[in-house]
């Protein structure tokens, strides 16, 4: 067992303190200087202890991750770097069981250091610093063993050919558990440059405004990143301080390389196309930017300190950044260097001008979206599951062949869960027999020739639905509705489209991954004529109809707006607060603020300009603060002001690290505490019963939102009983109107106990449309019904709903035009598809 101790602080791999007060990390919470970062690193190093231990560390673009990672290196603790959520991920279970880390530091515990044991059970080689997955894909325990010299030599080489200095600032556009993304961190730290920590995608407007505000000068991308850039009009919005772009993670089409290089020549930035593998600590070659336009089909020249040779057509690399070797089990962590050069598996040629070009692959290893997939291992995975199959790659797809339909469903479900590529990249066909060559071997060329190039007409899947309905073509198997930025505005449409695919939506489906939901999918279920309508959707539709019907005096059903407030709290808990890092939660909440405020300000402002019906403070949600203390037209949007205030307060609270950690660790108790505060405030101000204006005052109705939050967090039967009792207690007496109180209490009790209701398919679609359009119906009905309601109450109500539906249908186009936001709901960092999770160009 390794028991090496270090009693004194060490600067570790990177000498941070020498850069003093220069900025090191920038984020939404402020700027951290190198000196401050060094202090945090030393504090975390002491917390990790002096005994060398194997540390599993989940990565995220946050200062706490960077400090913990550098602290482990400084304390000479080998780090097994993993994506966020790996500690509890099914796809990582086999790997973690094989290596049994001594310490786990996960994102969802607020970077708490959880010790599996006081010491270590491992024999750890003195040179071992970092363990990275070669593919992050099939759950294989095969890891790359990297040393401190590997890390520093590659970082210095990259910093050298990029010309990095203190004035450079990179955006973290790639996952930091991915060797390419990690190399950006390393190279900037070694040069005294800085990083803007962000998880925004290049398809978001927020990324570009943040890029400018942070003074960033570069970002890295995989081929998919550059596809997104092309779609979102990057050529017309090049940041003013952009100095260079880097591209790796797979070969990019030469025409796109040339186009970006030519754009850079016009706009004043450079493009560095790079080639590498995890086994080389990231980079082996780069194409000098002055050659990108003229030689876009090459990988360029070796990095400083590295050399290439071609052995029987195969590209072989040597240099100080070549790994120590592979690890296949925990015992391998004690091994020293076992390789001196890296056989890349790529077939290459060297041209007369010295540039190298990759022309093919030697082995059966596919590279899909930047991820290297061992096709033989894919077949072994299928065989272990009792599914005889054959696998080939063609046109950025993994094509699998099986011999019956039952095996097809099993193969798709298994591989889409285990492989770190988008589900649409895996296709499966049924064949009568596997073709054989004359020597009796599988005829893979024939299979490849018969494989579909871009899809096989199979039924739509969960990933495809998320890609289209959430505007997230980068959705991967580990993503969920919540992590992809789904919210209450998109929830109804997604749930209605998922239900036919799954047959029955699990209660917590927004938190379940694409892979988990795909396991439940059965295309035959879409043929059912009766569909399950989830209770939140049903209540949302009924509430808005009740509001319109009551206002037009068609019928009387007061309390609908307060039910909508409770539903908003319920959805906040399910979506924006459903796991993820603090930055991810804050970003989701800010998007919700935007998505609520934008249509409201546009509509109310337009009505104010045209008719003078509203004051400016009404359009800006300031009636509670600046309006009169009596009912008037200005108070018609009290419900929206309360919703806006609730999201704003939630954002502010979640932005506080300690509160974020408490909520993530104790969601049920936190929900009870929030309800206690809001309900206590209401009782202190109003007593049991509120007066006419207090029922519509934003701070005094926050308890409705908190109550929905409690209901969403009530998962066990005992918690639901407590939630039910709280619903009754909170609703009692507030309105001084038994009918209204019964409406609110009854609706919330349904939310607690009734998952959904089966209705005919056309009815579910109609109810779903009304629920989706509820915000727009509420906004517009105030100007639609007044001219009609005196004598035509039914017509007034129906017309109000119809106008709201029409505005809802038209709004997405208006929103895209106004915000120039090229994805409906932003989320993952650019390039974080399968193509950025492992492997490298």
């Amino acid at each position: 067992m390794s028991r090496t101790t270090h009693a004194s602080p060490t600067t570790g791999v990177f000498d941070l303190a020498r850069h003093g007060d220069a900025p090191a990390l920038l984020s939404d919470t402020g700027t951290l200087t190198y000196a401050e970062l060094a202090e945090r690193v030393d504090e975390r190093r002491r917390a990790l202890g002096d005994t060398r231990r194997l540390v599993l560390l989940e990565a995220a673009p946050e200062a706490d991750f960077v400090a913990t990672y550098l602290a482990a290196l400084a304390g000479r603790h080998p780090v097994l770097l993993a994506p966020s959520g790996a500690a509890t991920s099914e796809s990582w279970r086999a790997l973690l069981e094989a290596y049994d880390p001594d310490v786990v530091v996960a994102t969802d515990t607020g970077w708490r250091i959880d010790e599996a044991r006081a010491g270590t059970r491992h024999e750890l080689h003195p040179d071992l610093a970092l363990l990275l997955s070669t593919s992050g894909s099939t759950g294989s325990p095969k890891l790359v063993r990297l040393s401190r010299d590997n890390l520093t030599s590659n970082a210095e080489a990259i910093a050298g050919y990029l010309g990095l200095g203190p004035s450079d600032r990179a955006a973290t556009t790639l996952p930091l558990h991915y060797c390419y993304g990690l190399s950006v961190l390393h190279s900037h730290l070694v040069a005294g440059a800085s990083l803007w920590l962000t998880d925004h995608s290049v398809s978001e407007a927020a990324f570009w405004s943040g890029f400018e505000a942070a003074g960033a000068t570069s970002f890295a991308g995989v081929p998919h990143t550059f596809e997104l850039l092309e779609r979102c009009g990057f050529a017309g919005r090049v940041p003013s301080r952009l100095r260079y772009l880097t591209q790796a993670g797979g070969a990019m089409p030469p025409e796109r390389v040339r186009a970006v290089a030519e754009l850079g020549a016009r706009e004043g930035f450079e493009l560095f196309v790079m080639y590498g593998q995890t086994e080389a600590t990231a980079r082996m070659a780069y194409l000098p930017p002055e050659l990108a336009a003229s030689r876009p089909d090459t990988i360029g020249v070796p990095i400083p300190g590295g050399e290439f040779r071609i052995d029987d057509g195969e590209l072989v690399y040597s240099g100080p950044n070549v790994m120590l070797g592979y690890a296949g089990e925990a015992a391998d962590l004690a091994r020293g260097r076992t390789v001196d050069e890296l056989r890349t598996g790529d077939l290459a040629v060297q041209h007369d001008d010295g540039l190298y070009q990759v022309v093919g692959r030697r082995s059966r290893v596919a590279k899909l979206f930047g991820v290297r997939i061992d096709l033989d291992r894919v077949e072994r995975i299928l065989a272990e599951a009792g599914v005889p199959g054959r696998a080939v790659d063609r046109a950025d797809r993994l094509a699998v062949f099986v011999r019956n339909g039952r095996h097809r469903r099993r193969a798709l479900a298994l591989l889409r869960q285990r492989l770190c590529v988008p589900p649409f990249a895996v296709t499966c066909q049924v064949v009568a027999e596997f073709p054989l060559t004359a020597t009796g071997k599988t005829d893979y060329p024939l299979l490849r020739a018969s494989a579909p190039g871009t899809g096989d007409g199979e039924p739509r899947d969960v990933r495809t639905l998320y890609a289209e309905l959430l505007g997230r073509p980068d959705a991967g198997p580990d993503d969920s509705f919540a992590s992809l930025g789904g919210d209450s505005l998109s929830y109804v449409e997604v749930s209605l489209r998922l239900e036919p695919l799954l047959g029955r939506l699990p209660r917590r489906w927004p938190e379940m991954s694409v892979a988990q939901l795909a396991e439940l999918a059965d295309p035959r279920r879409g043929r059912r004529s009766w569909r399950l309508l989830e209770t939140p959707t049903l209540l949302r539709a009924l509430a808005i109809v009740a509001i319109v019907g009551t206002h037009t005096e068609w019928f009387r059903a007061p309390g609908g707006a307060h039910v909508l407030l409770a539903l908003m709290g319920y959805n906040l808990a399910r979506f924006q607060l459903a796991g993820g890092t603090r930055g991810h939660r804050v970003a989701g909440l800010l998007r919700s603020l935007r998505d609520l405020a934008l249509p409201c300000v546009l509509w109310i402002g337009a009505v104010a300009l045209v008719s003078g019906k509203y004051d400016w403070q009404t359009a800006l949600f300031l009636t509670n603060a600046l309006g009169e203390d009596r009912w008037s037209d200005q108070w018609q949007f009290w419900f929206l002001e309360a919703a806006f205030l609730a999201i704003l307060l939630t954002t502010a609270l979640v932005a506080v690290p300690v509160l974020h950690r408490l909520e993530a660790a104790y969601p049920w108790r936190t929900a009870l505490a929030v309800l206690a505060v809001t309900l206590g405030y209401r009782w202190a101000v109003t007593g049991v019963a509120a007066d006419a204006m207090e029922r519509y005052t934003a701070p005094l109705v926050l308890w409705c939102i908190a109550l929905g939050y409690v209901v969403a967090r009530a998962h066990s039967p005992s918690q639901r009983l407590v939630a039910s009792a709280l619903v009754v207690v909170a609703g009692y007496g507030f309105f001084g109107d038994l009918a209204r109180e019964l409406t609110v209490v009854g609706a919330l009790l349904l939310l607690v106990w009734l998952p959904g209701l089966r209705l005919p398919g056309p009815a579910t679609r109609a109810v779903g449309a009304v629920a989706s359009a509820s915000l727009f119906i509420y906004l517009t009905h105030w100007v639609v019904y007044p001219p009609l309601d005196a004598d035509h109450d039914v017509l007034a109500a129906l017309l109000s709903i119809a106008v709201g539906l029409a505005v809802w249908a038209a709004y997405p186009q208006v929103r895209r035009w106004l915000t120039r936001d090229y994805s409906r709901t932003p989320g993952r960092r650019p390039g974080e598809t399968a193509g950025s999770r492992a492997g490298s160009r």
Side-chain angles (χ1 to χ4, degrees), residues 56-207:
L56 171 73
L57 176 59
E58 293 182 359
E62 295 191 19
D64 286 333
F65 159 71
V66 177
T68 306
Y69 171 65
L70 297 177
L73 295 181
R76 295 186 176 271
H77 303 286
V79 176
L80 172 51
L81 207 55
S84 179
T88 56
S89 170
E90 183 68 27
S91 61
W92 275 69
R93 177 181 296 178
L95 188 146
L96 297 182
E97 289 177 351
Y99 288 95
D100 190 15
D102 302 308
V103 178
V104 175
V105 185
T107 56
D108 61 2
T109 63
W111 311 103
R112 184 178 66 226
I113 296 174
D114 292 326
E115 298 179 321
R117 55 191 64 87
T120 181
R121 65 174 295 272
H122 301 290
E123 188 72 30
L124 304 171
H125 192 275
D127 293 338
L128 182 62
L130 181 63
L131 295 162
L132 295 178
S133 172
T134 58
S135 66
S137 57
T138 58
S140 168
K142 184 178 182 180
L143 298 174
V144 169
R145 296 182 291 116
L146 299 173
S147 69
R148 296 160 67 87
D149 287 342
N150 290 154
L151 304 185
T152 53
S153 65
N154 205 229
E156 289 169 353
I158 295 169
Y161 69 72
L162 292 179
L164 296 182
S167 62
D168 286 295
R169 182 166 298 160
T172 55
T173 47
L174 296 171
L176 291 170
H177 69 272
Y178 168 38
C179 69
Y180 184 11
L182 192 63
S183 73
V184 176
L185 174 68
H186 291 166
S187 58
H188 281 68
L189 291 178
V190 82
S194 55
L195 293 101
W196 171 46
L197 302 176
T198 179
D199 60 0
H200 286 303
S201 163
V202 296
S203 63
E204 295 180 56
F207 174 82

Side-chain angles (χ1 to χ4, degrees), residues 173-175 178-181 184 202 219-230 245-253 256-257 260 271-274 283 367-371 474 828-841:
T173 47
L174 296 171
Y178 168 38
C179 69
Y180 184 11
V184 176
V202 296
F219 63 90
V222 297
H224 181 67
T225 309
F226 288 84
E227 291 179 22
L228 292 176
L229 289 175
E230 187 175 301
L245 302 177
T246 64
Q247 182 270 314
M252 194 158 73
R256 180 165 284 138
V257 173
V260 176
L271 172 65
F272 287 83
V273 176
M274 307 188 299
R283 304 275 68 81
K367 198 164 191 179
L368 308 178
F369 297 86
V371 177
D474 58 342
R828 188 190 313 205
R829 294 180 300 279
E832 190 183 351
T833 61
S836 63
R837 297 187 181 182
S840 175
R841 181 179 175 192

Side-chain angles (χ1 to χ4, degrees), residues 308-322:
F308 282 132
R309 67 184 179 88
I310 296 177
D311 181 13
D312 192 24
E314 183 179 9
L315 190 64
V316 182
Y317 175 81
S318 60
N321 53 311
V322 172

Side-chain angles (χ1 to χ4, degrees), residues 379 382 387-391 399-404 407 428-437 440-444 446-447:
E379 293 182 0
L382 294 175
V387 180
R390 299 292 183 266
V400 176
F401 296 83
V402 295
R403 290 187 292 202
N404 63 60
H407 284 165
C428 189
Q429 289 179 277
V430 176
V431 294
E433 295 292 341
F434 300 129
L436 302 176
T437 65
K441 297 180 180 179
T442 300
D443 191 342
Y444 287 110
L446 182 58
L447 284 177

Side-chain angles (χ1 to χ4, degrees), residues 677-718:
V677 171
T678 55
L679 203 54
Y681 175 75
R682 173 198 126 187
W683 283 332
V685 174
T686 70
V688 174
D691 66 28
M693 288 303 295
E694 288 172 340
R695 297 171 197 159
Y696 311 116
T697 303
L700 296 177
V701 296
L702 290 179
W703 64 271
C704 293
I705 297 168
L707 199 55
Y709 177 28
V710 168
V711 171
R713 293 297 193 222
H715 300 309
S716 68
S718 60

Side-chain angles (χ1 to χ4, degrees), residues 596-597 600-601 604-605 614-630 632-645 648 693 696-699:
L596 172 63
C600 296
V601 171
I604 301 170
Y614 303 119
D615 298 332
W616 64 269
Q617 56 262 38
T618 304
L620 297 180
F621 290 158
L622 294 174
T623 301
N624 273 266
L626 304 177
E628 297 179 345
D629 192 17
R630 61 182 180 82
S632 67
D633 286 351
Q634 312 310 317
W635 280 91
Q636 289 176 350
F637 303 103
W638 67 270
F639 154 69
L640 300 175
E641 285 199 28
F644 187 85
L645 175 63
L648 191 64
M693 288 303 295
Y696 311 116
T697 303

